[in-house]
Amino acid sequence: MSEDFLYFLWQFQYFDAAHLTTTAGESLQVLAIGQRNANAGPDFINGRVIVENIEWAGSIEMHLRSSDWHRHAHTTDRAYESVVLHVVWENDTDICRHDGTAVPTLALKNITSPKLLHKYHVLIGSKATIPCENQLGAVSNLQKRMMLDRAATQRLERKAQGVLELLTQNHQDWEETTYQLLAQNFGFKVNAEPMLRLAQGLPLKILHKHRDNLFQLEALLFGQAGLLIPADEYALSLQKEYAFLAAKYSLKSTQLQAHEWKFLRLRPANFPTVRLAQLAAFIQQQPSLFSLFIHGENVKKLEEVLRAKQSDYWQTHYHFQKTTAAKVATLGKASVENIVVNTVVPLVAAYAEAKDNLDFMTKATELLEQLPAETNHLTDRWHQMGIESKTAFDSQAIIELYTHFCVKKGCLQCAIGTSLLKSP
Ligand code: SF4
């Protein structure tokens, strides 16, 4: 049993609400359940109840046992003086306010349906990572769709928040923020962290001063990444160029070490060296990453520009010691789609939030809807459960629902879970 279940019972008034009485035997009528309080203080605010024909307006506090009131030291906390009703699962002691007056208490244990309680225990007690997986068929398509839409929106807002935090660190510089996000994304899962640090230590402003020279861009990126080794003539020239530019811009203090990059178990096409070469080519071609992503017309257009062709050297090398007869390709389709989902869309959503402009939020959603769904073990599993992902909007919704509701057993905050509990 959790307090979340009490909130659920209270919010939906899911108990025998006829002829309610307090634990002291007084008649009780609920006029308004109040609003859930996300801040410190009682659980619900602005509630209204009638106790023994007297109407009270104030807060409502919930506990599994009434003695929890003392355990949480509410008697001496003035924030709880406004409590007009104490809702508990079990009443194990009577509670008084600081002035000695009794706090009216409603105990739910004996007025809650045993069937509902059983359904709750089955759902929350399940050991499965998706506790409702065998019951999804009992939920209407409308409820499922509504919950998925909510999860997708929540994911968009959460990612936007992450972008806005980075923007604050960058003193509201959208261009640097976009570059850092993009660099991080070019590291994909395995090298995202060193890529972000690389970008934070090598500002885009410096790279832009050398935008007309791909060789210098590579010298800066590879040198700052700590990946330059004297493997051949080209690498030696990059080293010399980096030594000069690093001294000019005082970059050495933020230089990374070669051991911070991961190559193991990566396909050569995903080596960080290849990604850096692709990033250098992309930066060379784009005068403004931010405006490209914010005003990019559609996914197709973004895909075209993200596939910038790297320098000749990096079309025949996976790293400085490894040449290849086959031409090293530009970013693949899946990688480009990954960048649109994880960089472009959150950036557009963050811009929508920052400017309070709904059009950009609509655009972020539309970009996701233009992309095919991501396929992974999660989307496959939900597909088997009858929930299909048609676009990236759907797959993003599924990822959010799973990681932020199912895994955390947040079924009582989920429309699918509450629908299951409320079903006859
Ligand atoms: S959080 Fe929702 S979707 Fe996930 S297991 Fe619980 S009820 Fe099902």
Side-chain angles (χ1 to χ4, degrees):
M1 173 68 61
S2 69
E3 282 188 4
D4 275 352
F5 185 58
L6 291 193
Y7 303 149
F8 165 80
L9 293 175
W10 179 253
Q11 247 165 336
F12 296 102
Q13 295 286 286
Y14 252 60
F15 43 79
D16 185 0
H19 314 298
L20 285 179
T21 56
T22 67
T23 51
E26 302 152 316
S27 65
L28 170 70
Q29 196 185 339
V30 179
L31 299 179
I33 62 165
Q35 294 112 34
R36 187 83 175 84
N37 178 22
N39 302 311
D43 295 315
F44 284 77
I45 53 173
N46 301 327
R48 282 194 302 126
V49 294
I50 297 177
V51 181
E52 283 289 288
N53 300 321
I54 300 176
E55 184 173 332
W56 299 88
S59 306
I60 291 149
E61 176 65 1
M62 311 214 166
H63 288 122
L64 293 180
R65 288 182 194 81
S66 50
S67 57
D68 291 340
W69 181 279
H70 293 310
R71 223 162 44 82
H72 298 165
H74 291 337
T75 313
T76 52
D77 187 339
R78 300 201 71 156
Y80 291 82
E81 281 178 14
S82 64
V83 170
V84 293
L85 186 67
H86 191 199
V87 177
V88 299
W89 183 247
E90 281 176 279
N91 182 52
D92 59 348
T93 188
D94 293 334
I95 297 299
C96 291
R97 297 187 187 90
H98 192 51
D99 63 6
T101 55
V103 181
T105 301
L106 171 66
L108 296 181
K109 187 175 177 180
N110 294 329
I111 54 173
T112 298
S113 148
K115 269 188 193 161
L116 175 65
L117 199 57
H118 175 70
K119 280 198 273 188
Y120 165 74
H121 284 309
V122 168
L123 194 60
I124 299 298
S126 166
K127 295 263 186 293
T129 48
I130 304 177
C132 72
E133 67 183 328
N134 296 324
Q135 304 179 54
L136 263 186
V139 180
S140 73
N141 288 333
L142 183 68
Q143 287 288 357
K144 286 186 269 202
R145 186 69 260 168
M146 276 166 49
M147 188 56 209
L148 286 169
D149 287 352
R150 187 182 135 202
T153 306
Q154 179 175 303
R155 188 166 185 79
L156 215 50
E157 283 171 355
R158 215 164 38 72
K159 286 189 168 190
Q161 217 43 50
V163 176
L164 292 175
E165 279 163 26
L166 197 59
L167 182 70
T168 305
Q169 288 171 26
N170 289 320
H171 310 290
Q172 307 304 312
D173 186 332
W174 284 101
E175 202 65 61
E176 285 293 338
T177 303
T178 308
Y179 156 65
Q180 290 174 11
L181 285 170
L182 182 68
Q184 184 182 33
N185 208 158
F186 261 77
F188 294 89
K189 257 191 195 143
V190 180
N191 286 299
E193 194 268 335
M195 274 288 200
L196 176 61
R197 274 193 295 123
L198 169 66
Q200 288 173 328
L202 176 61
L204 184 64
K205 285 179 193 68
I206 294 178
L207 291 173
H208 269 176
K209 287 184 184 158
H210 301 273
R211 203 171 69 80
D212 59 348
N213 188 329
L214 185 55
F215 173 75
Q216 287 183 324
L217 290 179
E218 285 189 4
L220 281 164
L221 284 165
F222 283 103
Q224 198 59 15
L227 288 170
L228 283 178
I229 47 166
D232 53 31
E233 212 176 304
Y234 185 70
L236 274 168
S237 325
L238 285 176
Q239 264 188 332
K240 271 191 209 151
E241 191 65 25
Y242 173 68
F244 168 73
L245 293 171
K248 182 176 177 182
Y249 297 115
S250 309
L251 292 174
K252 279 286 185 184
S253 64
T254 53
Q255 187 186 25
L256 276 76
Q257 304 290 313
H259 66 80
E260 295 178 71
W261 299 92
K262 295 186 185 74
F263 287 80
L264 208 68
R265 285 191 281 276
L266 284 181
R267 286 190 305 122
N270 296 334
F271 281 175
T273 36
V274 175
R275 296 308 187 200
L276 283 175
Q278 290 164 340
L279 182 61
F282 182 65
I283 288 172
Q284 191 198 23
Q285 288 185 14
Q286 297 306 323
S288 168
L289 307 179
F290 172 64
S291 89
L292 170 75
F293 290 163
I294 289 295
H295 301 297
E297 294 155 34
N298 51 43
V299 166
K300 206 165 177 324
K301 194 84 198 149
L302 287 168
E303 279 179 358
E304 279 167 25
V305 290
L306 275 163
R307 295 178 122 162
K309 199 188 276 181
Q310 58 269 33
S311 65
D312 290 347
Y313 182 88
W314 289 106
Q315 289 180 40
T316 55
H317 287 76
Y318 287 123
H319 62 65
F320 290 108
Q321 286 162 313
K322 193 171 168 63
T323 52
T324 167
K327 209 170 181 187
V328 181
T330 56
L331 273 182
K333 191 169 165 31
S335 299
V336 169
E337 287 168 1
N338 184 302
I339 288 172
V340 176
V341 170
N342 293 304
T343 294
V344 181
V345 168
L347 184 78
V348 174
Y351 191 67
E353 296 249 343
K355 300 291 168 196
D356 195 18
N357 186 330
L358 200 60
D359 290 348
F360 282 99
M361 198 51 98
T362 308
K363 180 175 177 163
T365 305
E366 284 172 357
L367 284 172
L368 285 177
E369 286 171 342
Q370 286 171 35
L371 286 168
E374 298 136 289
T375 47
N376 50 43
H377 70 283
L378 258 188
T379 51
D380 288 350
R381 190 162 165 205
W382 285 83
H383 182 69
Q384 283 160 14
M385 287 158 51
I387 295 190
E388 201 186 341
S389 296
K390 289 195 176 114
T391 68
F393 182 85
D394 299 331
S395 48
Q396 285 286 296
I398 280 175
I399 295 168
E400 184 74 12
L401 180 59
Y402 179 76
T403 51
H404 288 270
F405 289 88
C406 309
V407 170
K408 295 177 178 171
K409 298 241 171 190
C411 304
L412 292 172
Q413 284 80 49
C414 166
I416 295 173
T418 54
S419 164
L420 279 171
L421 291 183
K422 290 195 287 181
S423 67

